[in-house]
């Protein structure tokens, strides 16, 4: 008799339903797994064998054939242990309800304990979408699984608990109030605050605009100007995550094995500071066993590249596509996977190799040629994708001593950011986007209209500064955000002139 148990396989940050078929034939005792398993899945036979025996059940005496269907999807990870064990137990005549609407996910240890697996949220979400109504998962994964609405989640500690559930001792359903959880765990405690940054009004305003519209920003300034500190302060003015954003992010961290079982939902926007020595696979994603890279881990948050010019040219160039599309495609031997990568790029750099070009106290020791070569490391097409470029001058010794430290605290700036984001969320509710930075060319025409005078002015500026079409669009998006911070319905002349100020030519 062939028995079945339903499970799922991860595909990128999504998943698809997998049927585990088990058959036992009268030949020498062995276990054979077919259907494109990776090495972790192949090793399941050893774990399942011991787990079944040590849970007090008998193991088949013939040849056990396990087929994972459909066969064309690569099966990775250890979540197949439990469904394989369930299939074998059913085959042995153990009384487990034979229902095609029940799913099983989990790794087994040799003594029959269920172990936490990665990617539970996308796996359960995929099962729910394919009509599964109940799912059994390791106890440690239960809260994360319960984030999926409309499916019954049962967390079990041991394999035997699941068998007992169908005979005499039903397991408790795990339920979580996701909206309340998100609200209760919202980010309110920040290490860096703008109130500790003296002066730098222009750079602070630029960061506020960037946060309000999700724009990319590059800060250029001498060492000691505070640009790195201000980049760190940015985290304290970002708006809270919307529920859908939180779920997207949780899927990414779940697949990456970076989710803690006591914190099933990502409730904070990520802030990923990447060093220029990081590998391309680490930043972009990929490798022999593909994993999301930093740009995906920064989804819906910030990717901070300090000393941006020091990054290998190739890495910076590979960033262009995700910056444009909001996703990254990782090619593999047989197929390719897409990961989301809608992040705010925040870059910092020195104005020249010695760092003091334009400084009011120290003299720059670089030649014109050295400066040119240094800046050319950032290509035009990459700079085209950066909405705000701002100079951050170092304060003079006199200013440092005498300037009053009465800077606006981050909590006040954040209020304006949140308000501007709400305006955008409402305006784009039917467009499937959240912020001005996500506007496509088509949507820019719809939402960034200018009056005649402003339009003429911008056209003249575009000719004068030889702005590319991409830059032109970015100025409009930026102007839209500046208007939103002010609560203005239409983009005004002053919004466009202000947006143009952030196009400092490097
Ligand atoms: Zn210099």
């Amino acid at each position: 008799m062939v028995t079945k148990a339903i499970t799922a396989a991860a595909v990128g940050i999504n998943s698809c339903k997998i049927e585990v078929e088990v058959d036992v034939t009268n030949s020498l005792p062995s276990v054979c797994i077919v259907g494109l398993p990776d090495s972790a899945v192949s090793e399941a036979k050893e774990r399942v064998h011991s787990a079944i025996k040590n849970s007090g059940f008998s193991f088949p005496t013939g040849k056990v054939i396990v087929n994972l269907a459909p066969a064309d999807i690569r099966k990775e990870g250890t979540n197949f242990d439990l469904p394989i064990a369930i299939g074998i137990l059913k085959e042995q005549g153990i009384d487990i309800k034979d229902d095609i609407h029940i799913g099983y996910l989990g790794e087994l240890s040799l003594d029959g304990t269920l172990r936490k697996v990665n990617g539970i949220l996308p796996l359960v979400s995929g099962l729910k979408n394919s009509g599964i109504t109940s799912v059994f998962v390791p106890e440690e994964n239960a809260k994360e699984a319960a984030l999926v609405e409309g499916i019954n989640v049962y967390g079990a500690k041991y394999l035997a608990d699941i068998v007992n559930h169908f005979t005499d001792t039903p397991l408790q359903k795990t339920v979580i109030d996701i909206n309340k959880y998100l609200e209760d765990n919202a980010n309110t405690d920040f290490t860096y605050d703008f109130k500790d940054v003296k002066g730098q009004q222009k750079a602070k305003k630029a960061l506020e605009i960037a946060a309000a519209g999700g724009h990319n920003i590059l800060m250029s300034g001498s060492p000691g100007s505070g640009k790195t500190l201000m980049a760190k302060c940015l985290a304290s003015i970002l708006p809270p995550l919307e529920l859908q954003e939180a779920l997207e992010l949780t899927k990414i961290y779940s697949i990456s094995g970076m989710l803690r079982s006591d914190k099933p939902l990502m409730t904070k926007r990520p802030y990923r500071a990447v060093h220029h020595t990081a590998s391309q696979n680490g930043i972009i994603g990929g490798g022999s066993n593909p994993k999301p890279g930093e740009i995906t881990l920064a989804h819906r948050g910030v990717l901070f590249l300090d000393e941006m010019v020091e990054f290998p040219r190739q890495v910076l160039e590979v960033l262009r596509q995700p910056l444009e599309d909001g996703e990254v495609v990782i090619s593999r031997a047989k197929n390719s996977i897409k990961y989301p990568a809608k992040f705010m790029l925040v870059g910092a750099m020195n104005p020249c190799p010695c760092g003091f070009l334009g400084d009011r106290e120290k003299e720059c020791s670089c030649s014109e040629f050295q400066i040119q070569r240094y800046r050319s490391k950032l290509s035009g097409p990459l700079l085209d994708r950066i909405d705000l470029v701002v100079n951050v001058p170092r304060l003079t010794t006199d200013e440092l001593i005498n300037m009053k430290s009465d800077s606006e605290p981050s909590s006040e700036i954040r209020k304006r950011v949140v308000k501007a984001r709400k305006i955008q969320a409402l305006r784009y509710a039917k467009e499937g986007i959240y912020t001005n930075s996500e506007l496509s060319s088509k949507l820019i025409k719809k939402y960034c209209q200018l009056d005649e005078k402003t339009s003429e002015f911008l056209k003249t500026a575009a000719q004068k500064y030889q702005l590319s079409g991409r830059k032109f669009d970015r100025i409009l998006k930026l102007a839209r955000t500046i208007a939103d911070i002010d609560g203005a319905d239409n983009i005004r002349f002053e919004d466009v002139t202000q947006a143009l100020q952030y196009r400092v030519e490097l």
Side-chain angles (χ1 to χ4, degrees):
M1 181 187 80
V2 176
T3 60
K4 277 181 192 173
I6 305 296
T7 189
V11 183
I13 66 152
N14 296 307
S15 72
C16 66
K17 188 174 101 171
I18 302 291
E19 274 188 22
V20 178
E21 297 175 323
V22 176
D23 194 16
V24 179
T25 60
N26 277 330
S27 22
L28 286 173
S30 63
V31 181
C32 164
I33 300 177
V34 295
L36 213 60
D38 80 345
S39 58
V41 180
S42 298
E43 285 161 8
K45 50 191 170 192
E46 316 297 337
R47 291 189 298 269
V48 167
H49 187 258
S50 294
I52 286 181
K53 282 180 121 178
N54 291 328
S55 299
F57 304 107
S58 61
F59 201 82
T61 44
K63 178 178 181 176
V64 178
I65 303 162
V66 177
N67 181 35
L68 308 173
D72 59 342
I73 292 167
R74 191 173 162 79
K75 324 298 186 301
E76 292 170 22
T78 50
N79 61 282
F80 298 91
D81 292 9
L82 177 60
I84 292 172
I86 294 292
I88 292 172
L89 290 174
K90 279 185 186 173
E91 169 72 41
Q92 290 291 84
I94 304 286
D95 195 12
I96 296 172
K97 194 175 175 191
D98 202 19
D99 185 337
I100 54 158
H101 298 105
I102 300 177
Y104 300 92
L105 300 158
E107 179 183 327
L108 284 167
S109 64
L110 303 183
D111 66 357
T113 310
L114 277 161
R115 278 197 182 138
K116 180 186 172 210
V117 293
N118 292 338
I120 276 290
L121 177 61
L123 292 169
V124 173
S125 184
L127 284 175
K128 190 234 153 183
N129 291 340
S130 55
I132 300 300
T133 53
S134 297
V135 66
F136 289 85
V137 299
E139 199 173 44
E140 270 193 85
N141 284 130
K143 277 187 184 163
E144 185 189 336
L147 295 174
V148 181
E149 285 183 324
I151 188 165
N152 299 317
V153 173
Y154 299 98
K157 206 165 183 184
Y158 304 103
L159 173 62
D161 290 348
I162 297 175
V163 176
N164 293 338
H165 171 87
F166 293 105
T167 50
D168 50 15
T169 324
L171 290 161
Q172 288 279 331
K173 263 189 228 172
T174 304
V175 181
I176 191 166
D177 184 341
I178 183 169
N179 284 301
K180 189 172 181 306
Y181 185 90
L182 184 61
E183 217 170 279
D184 291 350
N185 291 277
N187 206 4
T188 48
D189 186 22
F190 304 100
T191 320
Y192 301 96
D193 196 298
F194 278 110
K195 76 174 186 317
D196 302 323
V197 182
K198 271 189 174 181
Q200 305 295 9
Q201 291 315 321
K202 192 171 179 202
K204 284 178 187 168
K205 188 67 198 173
L207 285 163
E208 177 183 335
I209 296 168
H215 300 286
N216 303 321
I217 179 167
L218 174 62
M219 291 180 282
S220 168
S222 307
S225 61
K227 52 191 192 302
T228 308
L229 173 63
M230 282 194 281
K232 286 178 180 166
C233 290
L234 181 61
S236 64
I237 62 165
L238 294 175
L241 282 168
E242 299 285 334
L243 178 58
Q244 280 311 315
E245 292 180 304
L247 287 170
E248 282 173 19
L249 206 53
T250 304
K251 282 185 181 180
I252 293 168
Y253 279 74
S254 176
I255 286 285
S256 309
M258 292 166 74
L259 204 62
R260 282 167 45 183
S261 41
D262 59 335
K263 294 215 157 110
L265 183 68
M266 292 293 292
T267 54
K268 297 172 185 175
R269 287 191 189 270
Y271 183 94
R272 307 291 300 180
V274 183
H275 196 259
H276 59 79
T277 52
S279 71
Q280 183 170 330
N281 282 342
I283 297 175
I284 309 297
S288 53
N289 194 1
K291 272 192 164 180
E294 289 292 340
I295 60 169
T296 297
L297 296 173
H299 184 60
R300 302 289 180 199
V302 170
L303 182 77
F304 177 46
L305 308 184
D306 204 356
E307 311 279 358
M308 194 163 162
V309 175
E310 303 299 329
F311 281 75
R313 177 91 186 228
Q314 200 190 341
V315 171
L316 293 177
E317 292 307 300
V318 181
L319 281 177
R320 278 162 48 184
Q321 209 54 47
L323 279 171
E324 200 65 30
D325 302 338
E327 60 183 24
V328 59
V329 179
I330 312 276
S331 357
R332 313 206 292 177
K334 282 188 180 150
N335 55 5
S336 57
I337 334 174
K338 262 186 208 166
Y339 289 125
K342 278 189 180 167
F343 57 89
M344 257 175 82
L345 176 68
V346 178
M349 64 180 278
N350 291 340
C352 65
C354 87
F356 294 100
L357 182 70
D359 194 83
R360 289 172 290 171
E361 288 181 329
K362 286 194 187 177
E363 207 164 317
C364 166
S365 61
C366 311
S367 70
E368 189 60 32
F369 174 72
Q370 284 173 316
I371 296 170
Q372 285 293 332
R373 196 180 52 180
Y374 181 76
R375 291 182 176 184
S376 68
K377 288 187 189 170
L378 301 183
S379 72
L382 177 65
L383 286 170
D384 272 1
R385 288 164 172 84
I386 293 174
D387 313 75
L388 299 105
V389 180
V390 63
N391 279 322
V392 186
R394 203 165 59 98
L395 298 185
T396 60
T397 320
D398 193 43
E399 284 170 334
L400 272 174
I401 295 167
N402 297 317
M403 192 179 273
K404 274 193 233 155
S405 46
D406 53 355
S407 297
E408 191 179 23
S410 291
S411 54
E412 289 302 311
I413 305 174
R414 191 171 195 237
K415 280 181 195 162
R416 294 195 293 272
V417 170
V418 170
K419 207 174 123 210
R421 283 264 181 143
K422 278 195 180 138
I423 293 171
Q424 295 166 68
L426 210 61
R427 186 193 300 133
Y428 305 134
K430 286 185 184 152
E431 310 287 2
I433 59 171
Y434 296 96
T435 58
N436 293 327
S437 63
E438 295 171 77
L439 287 170
S440 62
S441 299
K442 199 176 143 204
L443 292 178
I444 288 174
K445 286 198 179 74
K446 188 171 170 189
Y447 292 109
C448 300
Q449 289 187 359
L450 304 177
D451 61 39
E452 211 171 310
K453 176 186 151 205
T454 312
S455 175
E456 278 307 312
F457 169 77
L458 184 56
K459 273 182 201 154
T460 313
Q463 279 168 355
K464 189 175 158 195
Y465 299 115
Q466 297 185 319
L467 298 180
S468 64
R470 198 172 262 134
K471 266 188 188 165
F472 191 87
D473 277 0
R474 288 192 177 258
I475 286 167
L476 284 172
K477 291 196 246 185
L478 201 57
R480 182 64 269 174
T481 300
I482 295 168
D484 285 337
I485 292 175
D486 262 4
D489 287 339
N490 297 312
I491 300 177
R492 302 155 304 178
F493 185 80
E494 61 263 39
D495 301 325
V496 171
T497 53
Q498 204 186 331
L500 274 167
Q501 284 177 29
Y502 293 111
R503 285 258 38 114
V504 178
E505 292 309 311
L506 286 171

